[in-house]
DNA sequence: ATTGAGATTTACT
DNA sequence: GTAAATCTCAATG
């Protein structure tokens, strides 16, 4: 079974098969320990929920390509596109351990502990040197490669991280016992930092 | 260990 | 204007 055939399923089917697999780009290889499934227009937490835009166009394309998005004004995150054309189902690469190119990864990440090099989706993307320039990369022939491993004998699932919509579906998948698995964070109800506040008047945020 | 603010794009109301 | 598939740093328990 080829990589493309494996990836032609829905993200919820493909996600556990990516655990233990290796992504390689720009001189760094990472063994995946944690991923999340995002479905198409019916998944309210998916970028595809409100249809195709310039940003998420790759998600609507063929399986086996990389969808890289920019968010929070500073972070990149990477997904493996699955399913059929137009289905817009993809798997977010949440965390992993660096298995090659340790020196390069350390240079990009500037962190104390090696276990933090790719612990979290934006950290993983940074360790691999991924930006929007890599959006749409073919994972079979391109500058970013995906190599599958034996599917894990055991894995665990739970709610997706930072997602407030569809919080009941356990579409986060990880390898138990791996130190590189990112800590679970429930979605922030009211992100601060963008709300305009005047310190001269009363409590910072009365809506709590 | 946990909490909170800041960084500041993309997309929607 | 507000929220988001996030991370870092500083302050606090």
């Amino acid at each position: 079974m080829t990589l493309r055939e494996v990836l032609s399923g829905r993200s919820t089917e493909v996600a556990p098969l990516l655990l233990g697999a290796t992504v390689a780009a720009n001189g760094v290889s990472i063994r995946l320990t944690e991923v999340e499934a995002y479905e198409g227009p019916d998944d309210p937490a998916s970028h595809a929920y409100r249809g195709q835009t310039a940003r998420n166009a790759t998600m609507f394309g063929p399986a086996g390509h990389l969808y890289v998005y920019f968010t929070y004004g500073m972070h990149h995150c990477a997904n493996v596109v699955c399913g059929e054309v137009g289905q817009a189902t993809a798997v977010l690469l949440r965390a992993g351990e660096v298995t090659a190119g340790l020196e390069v990864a350390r240079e990009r990440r500037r962190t104390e502990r090696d276990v933090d090099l790719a612990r979290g989706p934006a950290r993983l993307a940074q360790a691999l040197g991924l930006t929007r320039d890599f959006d749409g990369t073919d994972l079979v022939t391109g500058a970013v490669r995906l190599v599958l491993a034996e599917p894990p004998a055991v894995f665990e699932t739970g709610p997706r991280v930072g997602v407030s919509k569809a919080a009941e579906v356990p579409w986060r998948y990880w390898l138990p016992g791996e130190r590189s698995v990112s800590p679970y964070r429930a979605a922030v109800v009211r992100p601060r930092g963008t709300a305009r506040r005047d310190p001269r008047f009363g409590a910072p945020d009365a809506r709590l």
Side-chain angles (χ1 to χ4, degrees), chain A residues 87-140:
Chain A
Q87 215 178 344
T89 169
V91 177
L92 171 69
L93 309 181
R94 280 205 60 89
E97 60 171 354
V98 175
T99 54
L102 202 50
E103 300 301 320
V104 185
R106 283 177 183 145
E107 184 121 340
R108 292 199 181 112
R109 290 274 307 123
R110 293 269 162 71
T111 180
E112 290 292 317
R113 304 147 61 214
D114 285 347
V115 72
D116 288 331
L117 286 172
R119 187 169 74 150
R123 291 165 168 179
L124 183 148
Q126 188 183 15
L128 288 172
L130 298 178
T131 64
R132 280 287 284 174
D133 291 344
F134 292 83
D135 180 55
T137 300
D138 189 315
L139 293 166
V140 177

Side-chain angles (χ1 to χ4, degrees), chain A residues 11 38-49 59-60 86-90:
Chain A
S11 62
Y38 285 87
E39 281 296 306
D42 294 331
D43 178 2
S46 172
H47 285 176
Y49 184 53
M59 262 189 101
F60 288 81
Q87 215 178 344
T89 169

Side-chain angles (χ1 to χ4, degrees), chain A residues 129-172:
Chain A
L130 298 178
T131 64
R132 280 287 284 174
D133 291 344
F134 292 83
D135 180 55
T137 300
D138 189 315
L139 293 166
V140 177
T141 63
V144 185
R145 301 298 176 99
L146 177 65
V147 180
L148 294 180
E150 277 299 305
V154 294
F155 60 87
E156 294 180 351
T157 69
R160 294 176 289 187
V161 174
V163 168
S164 54
K165 305 279 189 178
E168 69 284 357
V169 294
W171 286 353
R172 175 193 186 214

